[in-house]
Amino acid sequence: MQVEKKKQRQVQISRLQAMDETEKKREQLSLYEKLFASKEWQQAKTVATTMSGKIEVDTRPIMQQARYEHKTILIPKTLAKWQMAFFEYLPTTKLEKTKFGIPEPVGANNISKSDINLILVPGLGFADQGNYRLGFGGGYYDRFLRDYHGATISLVLSAQHFKTAAWPIEAHDIPINKLIKSEAN
């Protein structure tokens, strides 16, 4: 199954890299609008998101809106044994790139899982059927979400959207509560 997932990850990375930048920006604006109007966003005091990479939905506008609304912003840090935790992110937070090339917080405050209201879950692909996601392959989010009881949302670009999963779903895969899709979907 891992071989099939690995192949689909490569397909998805290529699809996302090939996305027209103007179209991607248009889709992102639609996603932000829907996210900020959602009850999950409006009720959240603490929002966890990622420091997005080039092929992902840009999370900087999300962080700016959260800051404007006086929400606490959290970003993940990978830990030993394929674990992850979320830490508060402020404009003064020192960041260090990981071996994956992702900026992570250094010396920030670790936030308890039970204090996180909303997690924006990244991925390469998302399926309507079951709200399953194709992650980046480390399993960090699936492990973290296993006993998380707050809201989860994924923002889905047209290149990430599937009616049914084009990858195998495994027992450890955790579905997302809500998929917010762009108008192109």
Side-chain angles (χ1 to χ4, degrees), residues 11-69:
V11 168
Q12 284 305 106
I13 289 169
S14 295
R15 286 181 72 190
L16 288 163
Q17 288 171 335
M19 238 185 132
D20 176 73
E21 279 303 311
T22 303
E23 178 60 21
K24 182 178 179 185
K25 285 179 182 172
R26 189 191 65 70
E27 287 187 30
Q28 287 180 140
L29 289 174
S30 167
L31 293 172
Y32 301 146
E33 188 176 301
K34 290 177 183 180
L35 172 64
F36 301 148
S38 73
K39 71 176 180 11
E40 294 87 353
W41 175 269
Q42 292 178 4
Q43 293 172 355
K45 304 242 183 295
T46 305
V47 178
T49 188
T50 60
M51 301 294 286
S52 56
K54 183 167 173 43
I55 63 170
E56 299 175 276
V57 171
D58 186 356
T59 57
R60 290 172 300 180
I62 296 167
M63 292 178 186
Q64 290 170 346
Q65 184 68 24
R67 194 168 290 112
Y68 174 76
E69 295 182 27

Side-chain angles (χ1 to χ4, degrees), residues 56-139:
E56 299 175 276
V57 171
D58 186 356
T59 57
R60 290 172 300 180
I62 296 167
M63 292 178 186
Q64 290 170 346
Q65 184 68 24
R67 194 168 290 112
Y68 174 76
E69 295 182 27
H70 306 288
K71 296 179 187 292
T72 301
I73 304 163
L74 309 177
I75 58 173
K77 179 178 180 75
T78 53
L79 307 171
K81 299 182 182 174
W82 300 92
Q83 298 299 308
M84 140 177 119
F86 283 93
F87 292 77
E88 186 170 5
Y89 176 71
L90 301 165
T92 56
T93 301
K94 184 176 187 237
L95 300 173
E96 205 170 76
K97 282 198 177 184
T98 67
K99 63 182 178 185
F100 304 113
I102 301 167
E104 291 188 348
V106 177
N109 297 325
N110 181 359
I111 304 298
S112 169
K113 190 181 288 195
S114 61
D115 291 334
I116 304 171
N117 305 126
L118 171 61
I119 299 177
L120 300 177
V121 184
L124 292 168
F126 301 92
D128 288 339
Q129 186 178 27
N131 283 6
Y132 285 104
R133 65 185 265 281
L134 177 65
F136 290 87

